[in-house]
PDB file of all heavy atoms in Angstrom:
ATOM      1  N   LYS A 596    -185.790 108.074  67.946  1.00 96.00           N
ATOM      2  CA  LYS A 596    -187.248 108.264  67.986  1.00 96.00           C
ATOM      3  C   LYS A 596    -187.595 109.370  68.975  1.00 96.00           C
ATOM      4  O   LYS A 596    -188.469 110.203  68.709  1.00 96.00           O
ATOM      5  CB  LYS A 596    -187.927 106.958  68.384  1.00 96.00           C
ATOM      6  CG  LYS A 596    -189.438 107.063  68.517  1.00 96.00           C
ATOM      7  CD  LYS A 596    -190.021 105.733  68.956  1.00 96.00           C
ATOM      8  CE  LYS A 596    -191.524 105.847  69.173  1.00 96.00           C
ATOM      9  NZ  LYS A 596    -192.116 104.558  69.634  1.00 96.00           N
ATOM     10  N   ALA A 597    -186.885 109.376  70.109  1.00 96.00           N
ATOM     11  CA  ALA A 597    -187.138 110.413  71.115  1.00 96.00           C
ATOM     12  C   ALA A 597    -186.954 111.799  70.519  1.00 96.00           C
ATOM     13  O   ALA A 597    -187.790 112.689  70.683  1.00 96.00           O
ATOM     14  CB  ALA A 597    -186.203 110.213  72.308  1.00 96.00           C
ATOM     15  N   GLY A 598    -185.862 111.974  69.781  1.00 96.00           N
ATOM     16  CA  GLY A 598    -185.563 113.278  69.210  1.00 96.00           C
ATOM     17  C   GLY A 598    -186.574 113.727  68.168  1.00 96.00           C
ATOM     18  O   GLY A 598    -187.025 114.876  68.180  1.00 96.00           O
ATOM     19  N   VAL A 599    -186.938 112.823  67.284  1.00 96.00           N
ATOM     20  CA  VAL A 599    -187.827 113.223  66.186  1.00 96.00           C
ATOM     21  C   VAL A 599    -189.278 113.341  66.620  1.00 96.00           C
ATOM     22  O   VAL A 599    -190.116 113.858  65.878  1.00 96.00           O
ATOM     23  CB  VAL A 599    -187.708 112.259  64.976  1.00 96.00           C
ATOM     24  CG1 VAL A 599    -186.292 112.252  64.435  1.00 96.00           C
ATOM     25  CG2 VAL A 599    -188.168 110.856  65.339  1.00 96.00           C
ATOM     26  N   THR A 600    -189.599 112.872  67.841  1.00 97.00           N
ATOM     27  CA  THR A 600    -190.961 113.029  68.367  1.00 97.00           C
ATOM     28  C   THR A 600    -191.019 114.106  69.444  1.00 97.00           C
ATOM     29  O   THR A 600    -191.984 114.180  70.212  1.00 97.00           O
ATOM     30  CB  THR A 600    -191.487 111.696  68.937  1.00 97.00           C
ATOM     31  OG1 THR A 600    -190.587 111.218  69.957  1.00 97.00           O
ATOM     32  CG2 THR A 600    -191.636 110.657  67.844  1.00 97.00           C
ATOM     33  N   GLY A 601    -189.988 114.935  69.484  1.00 96.00           N
ATOM     34  CA  GLY A 601    -190.009 116.084  70.382  1.00 96.00           C
ATOM     35  C   GLY A 601    -189.623 115.804  71.815  1.00 96.00           C
ATOM     36  O   GLY A 601    -189.840 116.629  72.703  1.00 96.00           O
ATOM     37  N   LYS A 602    -189.037 114.639  72.076  1.00 96.00           N
ATOM     38  CA  LYS A 602    -188.597 114.291  73.436  1.00 96.00           C
ATOM     39  C   LYS A 602    -187.066 114.270  73.467  1.00 96.00           C
ATOM     40  O   LYS A 602    -186.434 113.227  73.673  1.00 96.00           O
ATOM     41  CB  LYS A 602    -189.175 112.940  73.850  1.00 96.00           C
ATOM     42  CG  LYS A 602    -190.695 112.907  73.848  1.00 96.00           C
ATOM     43  CD  LYS A 602    -191.224 111.508  74.140  1.00 96.00           C
ATOM     44  CE  LYS A 602    -192.745 111.482  74.067  1.00 96.00           C
ATOM     45  NZ  LYS A 602    -193.288 110.112  74.303  1.00 96.00           N
ATOM     46  N   ASN A 603    -186.501 115.436  73.233  1.00 97.00           N
ATOM     47  CA  ASN A 603    -185.048 115.529  73.091  1.00 97.00           C
ATOM     48  C   ASN A 603    -184.288 115.019  74.301  1.00 97.00           C
ATOM     49  O   ASN A 603    -184.732 115.161  75.448  1.00 97.00           O
ATOM     50  CB  ASN A 603    -184.647 116.974  72.820  1.00 97.00           C
ATOM     51  CG  ASN A 603    -184.893 117.378  71.376  1.00 97.00           C
ATOM     52  OD1 ASN A 603    -185.511 116.641  70.614  1.00 97.00           O
ATOM     53  ND2 ASN A 603    -184.417 118.542  71.008  1.00 97.00           N
ATOM     54  N   ILE A 604    -183.133 114.442  73.998  1.00 98.00           N
ATOM     55  CA  ILE A 604    -182.194 113.998  75.026  1.00 98.00           C
ATOM     56  C   ILE A 604    -181.046 115.003  75.048  1.00 98.00           C
ATOM     57  O   ILE A 604    -180.400 115.232  74.024  1.00 98.00           O
ATOM     58  CB  ILE A 604    -181.667 112.585  74.716  1.00 98.00           C
ATOM     59  CG1 ILE A 604    -182.817 111.568  74.717  1.00 98.00           C
ATOM     60  CG2 ILE A 604    -180.577 112.190  75.720  1.00 98.00           C
ATOM     61  CD1 ILE A 604    -182.438 110.219  74.131  1.00 98.00           C
ATOM     62  N   SER A 605    -180.799 115.603  76.203  1.00 98.00           N
ATOM     63  CA  SER A 605    -179.708 116.562  76.318  1.00 98.00           C
ATOM     64  C   SER A 605    -178.439 115.858  76.790  1.00 98.00           C
ATOM     65  O   SER A 605    -178.500 114.915  77.580  1.00 98.00           O
ATOM     66  CB  SER A 605    -180.061 117.686  77.292  1.00 98.00           C
ATOM     67  OG  SER A 605    -180.224 117.192  78.611  1.00 98.00           O
ATOM     68  N   VAL A 606    -177.299 116.283  76.263  1.00 98.00           N
ATOM     69  CA  VAL A 606    -176.007 115.785  76.735  1.00 98.00           C
ATOM     70  C   VAL A 606    -175.473 116.817  77.718  1.00 98.00           C
ATOM     71  O   VAL A 606    -175.112 117.935  77.326  1.00 98.00           O
ATOM     72  CB  VAL A 606    -175.016 115.558  75.583  1.00 98.00           C
ATOM     73  CG1 VAL A 606    -173.671 115.072  76.126  1.00 98.00           C
ATOM     74  CG2 VAL A 606    -175.584 114.550  74.588  1.00 98.00           C
ATOM     75  N   GLU A 607    -175.461 116.450  78.989  1.00 98.00           N
ATOM     76  CA  GLU A 607    -175.069 117.374  80.054  1.00 98.00           C
ATOM     77  C   GLU A 607    -173.591 117.195  80.391  1.00 98.00           C
ATOM     78  O   GLU A 607    -173.147 116.093  80.707  1.00 98.00           O
ATOM     79  CB  GLU A 607    -175.921 117.139  81.300  1.00 98.00           C
ATOM     80  CG  GLU A 607    -177.420 117.331  81.089  1.00 98.00           C
ATOM     81  CD  GLU A 607    -177.774 118.781  80.808  1.00 98.00           C
ATOM     82  OE1 GLU A 607    -177.042 119.684  81.266  1.00 98.00           O
ATOM     83  OE2 GLU A 607    -178.792 119.009  80.113  1.00 98.00           O
ATOM     84  N   THR A 608    -172.854 118.295  80.320  1.00 98.00           N
ATOM     85  CA  THR A 608    -171.412 118.275  80.613  1.00 98.00           C
ATOM     86  C   THR A 608    -171.101 119.358  81.641  1.00 98.00           C
ATOM     87  O   THR A 608    -170.496 120.383  81.321  1.00 98.00           O
ATOM     88  CB  THR A 608    -170.593 118.509  79.334  1.00 98.00           C
ATOM     89  OG1 THR A 608    -171.029 119.749  78.731  1.00 98.00           O
ATOM     90  CG2 THR A 608    -170.783 117.377  78.343  1.00 98.00           C
ATOM     91  N   PRO A 609    -171.499 119.150  82.892  1.00 98.00           N
ATOM     92  CA  PRO A 609    -171.368 120.209  83.893  1.00 98.00           C
ATOM     93  C   PRO A 609    -169.936 120.572  84.252  1.00 98.00           C
ATOM     94  O   PRO A 609    -169.698 121.612  84.868  1.00 98.00           O
ATOM     95  CB  PRO A 609    -172.106 119.639  85.110  1.00 98.00           C
ATOM     96  CG  PRO A 609    -172.063 118.154  84.919  1.00 98.00           C
ATOM     97  CD  PRO A 609    -172.158 117.948  83.438  1.00 98.00           C
ATOM     98  N   LEU A 610    -168.981 119.739  83.839  1.00 97.00           N
ATOM     99  CA  LEU A 610    -167.578 119.990  84.183  1.00 97.00           C
ATOM    100  C   LEU A 610    -166.775 120.566  83.023  1.00 97.00           C
ATOM    101  O   LEU A 610    -165.587 120.842  83.179  1.00 97.00           O
ATOM    102  CB  LEU A 610    -166.902 118.687  84.639  1.00 97.00           C
ATOM    103  CG  LEU A 610    -167.662 117.821  85.641  1.00 97.00           C
ATOM    104  CD1 LEU A 610    -166.830 116.591  85.994  1.00 97.00           C
ATOM    105  CD2 LEU A 610    -168.024 118.609  86.888  1.00 97.00           C
ATOM    106  N   ILE A 611    -167.417 120.770  81.885  1.00 95.00           N
ATOM    107  CA  ILE A 611    -166.658 121.027  80.665  1.00 95.00           C
ATOM    108  C   ILE A 611    -165.830 122.309  80.735  1.00 95.00           C
ATOM    109  O   ILE A 611    -164.768 122.401  80.118  1.00 95.00           O
ATOM    110  CB  ILE A 611    -167.581 121.010  79.429  1.00 95.00           C
ATOM    111  CG1 ILE A 611    -166.748 120.793  78.160  1.00 95.00           C
ATOM    112  CG2 ILE A 611    -168.453 122.257  79.372  1.00 95.00           C
ATOM    113  CD1 ILE A 611    -167.525 120.298  76.980  1.00 95.00           C
ATOM    114  N   HIS A 612    -166.272 123.285  81.513  1.00 94.00           N
ATOM    115  CA  HIS A 612    -165.529 124.537  81.626  1.00 94.00           C
ATOM    116  C   HIS A 612    -164.864 124.700  82.999  1.00 94.00           C
ATOM    117  O   HIS A 612    -164.442 125.797  83.361  1.00 94.00           O
ATOM    118  CB  HIS A 612    -166.439 125.726  81.339  1.00 94.00           C
ATOM    119  CG  HIS A 612    -166.985 125.739  79.949  1.00 94.00           C
ATOM    120  ND1 HIS A 612    -166.179 125.779  78.825  1.00 94.00           N
ATOM    121  CD2 HIS A 612    -168.271 125.689  79.487  1.00 94.00           C
ATOM    122  CE1 HIS A 612    -166.935 125.770  77.737  1.00 94.00           C
ATOM    123  NE2 HIS A 612    -168.194 125.700  78.107  1.00 94.00           N
ATOM    124  N   LEU A 613    -164.786 123.593  83.759  1.00 95.00           N
ATOM    125  CA  LEU A 613    -164.187 123.641  85.089  1.00 95.00           C
ATOM    126  C   LEU A 613    -162.790 123.049  85.094  1.00 95.00           C
ATOM    127  O   LEU A 613    -162.516 122.055  84.410  1.00 95.00           O
ATOM    128  CB  LEU A 613    -165.047 122.869  86.099  1.00 95.00           C
ATOM    129  CG  LEU A 613    -166.506 123.306  86.294  1.00 95.00           C
ATOM    130  CD1 LEU A 613    -167.128 122.503  87.428  1.00 95.00           C
ATOM    131  CD2 LEU A 613    -166.615 124.793  86.567  1.00 95.00           C
ATOM    132  N   SER A 614    -161.910 123.639  85.872  1.00 94.00           N
ATOM    133  CA  SER A 614    -160.600 123.040  86.117  1.00 94.00           C
ATOM    134  C   SER A 614    -160.775 121.867  87.067  1.00 94.00           C
ATOM    135  O   SER A 614    -161.852 121.693  87.675  1.00 94.00           O
ATOM    136  CB  SER A 614    -159.652 124.069  86.735  1.00 94.00           C
ATOM    137  OG  SER A 614    -160.103 124.415  88.040  1.00 94.00           O
ATOM    138  N   LYS A 615    -159.738 121.062  87.234  1.00 95.00           N
ATOM    139  CA  LYS A 615    -159.837 119.946  88.178  1.00 95.00           C
ATOM    140  C   LYS A 615    -160.086 120.471  89.588  1.00 95.00           C
ATOM    141  O   LYS A 615    -160.868 119.879  90.351  1.00 95.00           O
ATOM    142  CB  LYS A 615    -158.563 119.101  88.127  1.00 95.00           C
ATOM    143  CG  LYS A 615    -158.705 117.734  88.780  1.00 95.00           C
ATOM    144  CD  LYS A 615    -159.697 116.856  88.028  1.00 95.00           C
ATOM    145  CE  LYS A 615    -159.147 116.383  86.700  1.00 95.00           C
ATOM    146  NZ  LYS A 615    -160.104 115.543  85.961  1.00 95.00           N
ATOM    147  N   LYS A 616    -159.454 121.544  89.940  1.00 96.00           N
ATOM    148  CA  LYS A 616    -159.689 122.181  91.252  1.00 96.00           C
ATOM    149  C   LYS A 616    -161.156 122.526  91.429  1.00 96.00           C
ATOM    150  O   LYS A 616    -161.758 122.212  92.466  1.00 96.00           O
ATOM    151  CB  LYS A 616    -158.829 123.444  91.371  1.00 96.00           C
ATOM    152  CG  LYS A 616    -159.189 124.378  92.532  1.00 96.00           C
ATOM    153  CD  LYS A 616    -158.337 125.630  92.496  1.00 96.00           C
ATOM    154  CE  LYS A 616    -158.737 126.635  93.578  1.00 96.00           C
ATOM    155  NZ  LYS A 616    -160.029 127.279  93.295  1.00 96.00           N
TER     156      LYS A 616
END
Side-chain angles (χ1 to χ4, degrees):
K596 177 182 177 181
V599 300
T600 57
K602 300 175 183 178
N603 282 9
I604 298 168
S605 65
V606 179
E607 300 293 332
T608 55
L610 314 181
I611 200 160
H612 297 300
L613 302 186
S614 67
K615 195 65 72 180
K616 167 184 176 289

